[in-house]
Amino acid sequence: MSGTDTIVAADVVVTSPGRNFVTLKITTAEGLVGWGDATLNGRELAVASYLRDHVAPLLVGRDPARIEDTWQYLYRGAYWRRGPVTMTSVGAVDLALWDIKGKATGQPVYQLLGGAVRDRILAYTHASGWDVPRLLDAVDARREHGFLAVRAQSGVPGLGTVYGVSEAAAGHERPDRHGTGPDEEIWDTDAYLRHAPEMLAAVREHAGPGLKLLHDTHHRLTPGEAARLGRALEPVNLFWLEDVTPAENQEVLRHVRRHTTVPLAIGEVFNTVWECQTLITEQLIDFVRTCVTHAGGISHLRRIAALAEIWQVRLGPHGPSDISPVALGASLHVGLSTPNFAIQEYMGYEPVVHEVFRHAWSYEDGHLHPGDEPGLGIEVDEALAARFPYEPGYLPVARRRDGSVTDW
Ligand code: CS2
Ligand code: MG
């Protein structure tokens, strides 16, 4: 690309093959097409509008080769900075422009990022069960599928519905599609804290020392509770304990760190390097979870990785089934070319999602690879996508036993 091409269209595709996905399509005068994921689970149309109404008119006429300049223009030019809606929108543009640059040069994006620093990317998947025996069966099933790293979540005695527990088809999160508003779940921290250490110890004993074992507390504990849980889990030798506190107040993590050496992973809801800064530079976490979709795209995730590298913090990006295969592919291009990339979350998708989003990335023996197609290696079947119109959906809301709202 000599800098002579021009963006002629920026269109937003909203499709719901089992769950909602928002995708940005940028087209150039030379006929190149770039794809970017813009899915913000439960708030999808806000990003679709931000892109359609505010960003697309600014893109038409711009040089697609100027990825960094466009990033700065959208980020600084909006005046209103950061936040999930803005950064998901900026990220979608960034992904689509990297895709175009790859296609224009005939290179997979990871080559443009400096080339491979590893041959393949370690993946972790989810296993869950309403009780411990069923969880152990689920862990076995994931290991039979080749996974070397598994996130284990189980039901809690006395609670009806628990975050992360679904016995649906392997690795597929239940779609949260209904127009009637969020499901409400009852949460009881004491019951969870009584159960979690013995549940994870049972998985470790069953699976042996070799399994990389992860667990997600999903933003629910106070610093004191988190410190106690971390200590109790030390014999289990977790790969990481995720989102122990809501992390809006990051200073509270100092208390957790003083009391436990359990590796901590945080950041799936962060949108910029500035939200990661304290956690990284004070070494309050071991893994940063920011996602290529919600944290400003490839360009910005690489900046977060560069800051984290100095402090020996590694990347373990968010990769649930509510980000699209476009984002997963983009994350893998970063993963293959970034030294301090440790692991990629990979829940998998329903078969129809693989039909709508055809991708060069692949899974084999517990590892992922972005493939060697030019660009991100994704093609979206727009005709098929059009057969699945948007359906309103919400993430659940959690309440304590006294009826007050708490973190889900
Ligand atoms: C989770 C997500 O993958 C994870 O670690 O925390 O499943 C999260 O609950 C969803 O992305 C919310 O949309
Ligand atoms: Mg999580």
Side-chain angles (χ1 to χ4, degrees):
M1 180 161 16
S2 58
T4 54
D5 203 1
T6 305
I7 296 172
V8 293
D11 300 297
V12 179
V13 176
V14 180
T15 180
S16 194
R19 67 182 319 137
N20 294 317
F21 294 109
V22 179
T23 312
L24 177 68
K25 176 189 184 187
I26 295 182
T27 309
T28 75
E30 289 181 13
L32 296 173
V33 169
W35 297 102
D37 181 29
T39 308
L40 186 61
N41 200 12
R43 294 292 185 269
E44 297 89 356
L45 298 185
V47 184
S49 164
Y50 193 107
L51 284 168
R52 253 184 212 134
D53 299 330
H54 302 291
V55 171
L58 306 179
L59 293 177
V60 173
R62 291 183 72 85
D63 176 357
R66 297 182 64 162
I67 301 175
E68 182 63 28
D69 182 61
T70 300
W71 197 98
Q72 299 292 335
Y73 183 81
L74 294 176
Y75 181 80
R76 298 184 194 286
Y79 184 67
W80 307 107
R81 298 177 180 196
R82 309 189 293 168
V85 175
T86 300
M87 297 311 293
T88 301
S89 304
V90 174
V93 175
D94 187 80
L95 260 51
L97 294 183
W98 277 107
D99 193 18
I100 288 172
K101 195 179 281 288
K103 287 170 178 162
T105 56
Q107 297 286 328
V109 167
Y110 76 81
Q111 291 291 9
L112 305 178
L113 299 175
V117 297
R118 54 178 54 84
D119 301 325
R120 54 190 188 157
I121 296 152
L122 181 66
Y124 79 88
T125 196
H126 294 192
S128 67
W130 292 113
D131 55 27
V132 171
R134 282 190 280 183
L135 169 61
L136 299 182
D137 288 347
V139 170
D140 288 345
R142 304 300 178 268
R143 298 186 88 192
E144 274 157 31
H145 202 53
F147 282 101
L148 307 169
V150 174
R151 188 191 88 161
Q153 309 288 133
S154 86
V156 174
L159 294 185
T161 315
V162 175
Y163 163 76
V165 185
S166 153
E167 294 183 352
H172 298 142
E173 206 181 40
R174 104 191 123 93
D176 299 306
R177 294 195 308 180
H178 24 226
T180 52
D183 289 342
E184 297 207 355
E185 298 177 358
I186 299 296
W187 177 247
D188 181 337
T189 297
D190 290 342
Y192 165 76
L193 288 176
R194 281 195 299 274
H195 177 67
E198 68 188 55
M199 176 270 285
L200 289 164
V203 177
R204 173 58 77 208
E205 193 182 321
H206 177 79
L211 178 72
K212 295 191 194 326
L213 180 59
L214 300 81
H215 180 65
D216 192 345
T217 52
H218 224 245
H219 324 269
R220 293 180 183 202
L221 304 180
T222 65
E225 291 161 352
R228 286 208 306 282
L229 179 64
R231 270 199 180 176
L233 291 177
E234 278 171 24
V236 174
N237 198 20
L238 286 185
F239 183 85
W240 79 35
L241 181 62
E242 183 182 335
D243 282 333
V244 285
T245 68
E248 282 141 331
N249 178 355
Q250 304 190 345
E251 281 73 14
V252 303
L253 268 302
R254 292 182 193 139
H255 177 78
V256 183
R257 276 302 220 203
R258 269 197 296 275
H259 291 93
T260 177
T261 58
V262 71
L264 298 177
I266 293 184
E268 70 180 37
V269 301
F270 294 173
N271 311 116
T272 68
V273 69
W274 293 283
E275 289 152 279
C276 304
Q277 185 177 353
T278 302
L279 296 185
I280 291 172
T281 60
E282 291 197 25
Q283 290 170 295
L284 298 176
I285 53 172
D286 301 272
F287 298 93
V288 60
R289 294 266 298 138
T290 41
C291 166
V292 76
T293 306
H294 306 131
I298 289 172
S299 302
H300 201 66
L301 190 60
R302 291 273 286 187
R303 276 199 170 75
I304 295 171
L307 179 68
E309 187 182 3
I310 298 170
W311 298 94
Q312 289 185 280
V313 171
R314 295 191 292 157
L315 256 63
H318 197 211
S321 50
D322 50 79
I323 65 162
S324 86
V326 180
L328 192 78
S331 197
L332 297 176
H333 284 280
V334 174
L336 207 69
S337 57
T338 301
N340 58 326
F341 196 104
I343 196 165
Q344 173 64 54
E345 181 178 20
Y346 177 52
M347 284 178 73
Y349 298 97
E350 299 287 350
V352 64
V353 177
H354 296 281
E355 299 288 313
V356 174
F357 300 93
R358 301 197 167 274
H359 51 82
W361 58 257
S362 58
Y363 166 83
E364 195 183 353
D365 295 337
H367 294 81
L368 292 153
H369 191 282
D372 281 295
E373 296 291 316
L376 295 177
I378 311 282
E379 287 308 326
V380 180
D381 184 334
E382 290 178 81
L384 186 57
R387 286 172 40 198
F388 303 106
Y390 169 77
E391 292 187 35
Y394 292 92
L395 290 168
V397 168
R399 292 185 186 274
R400 300 181 188 89
R401 289 199 187 278
D402 68 1
S404 57
V405 172
T406 185
D407 298 286
W408 176 73

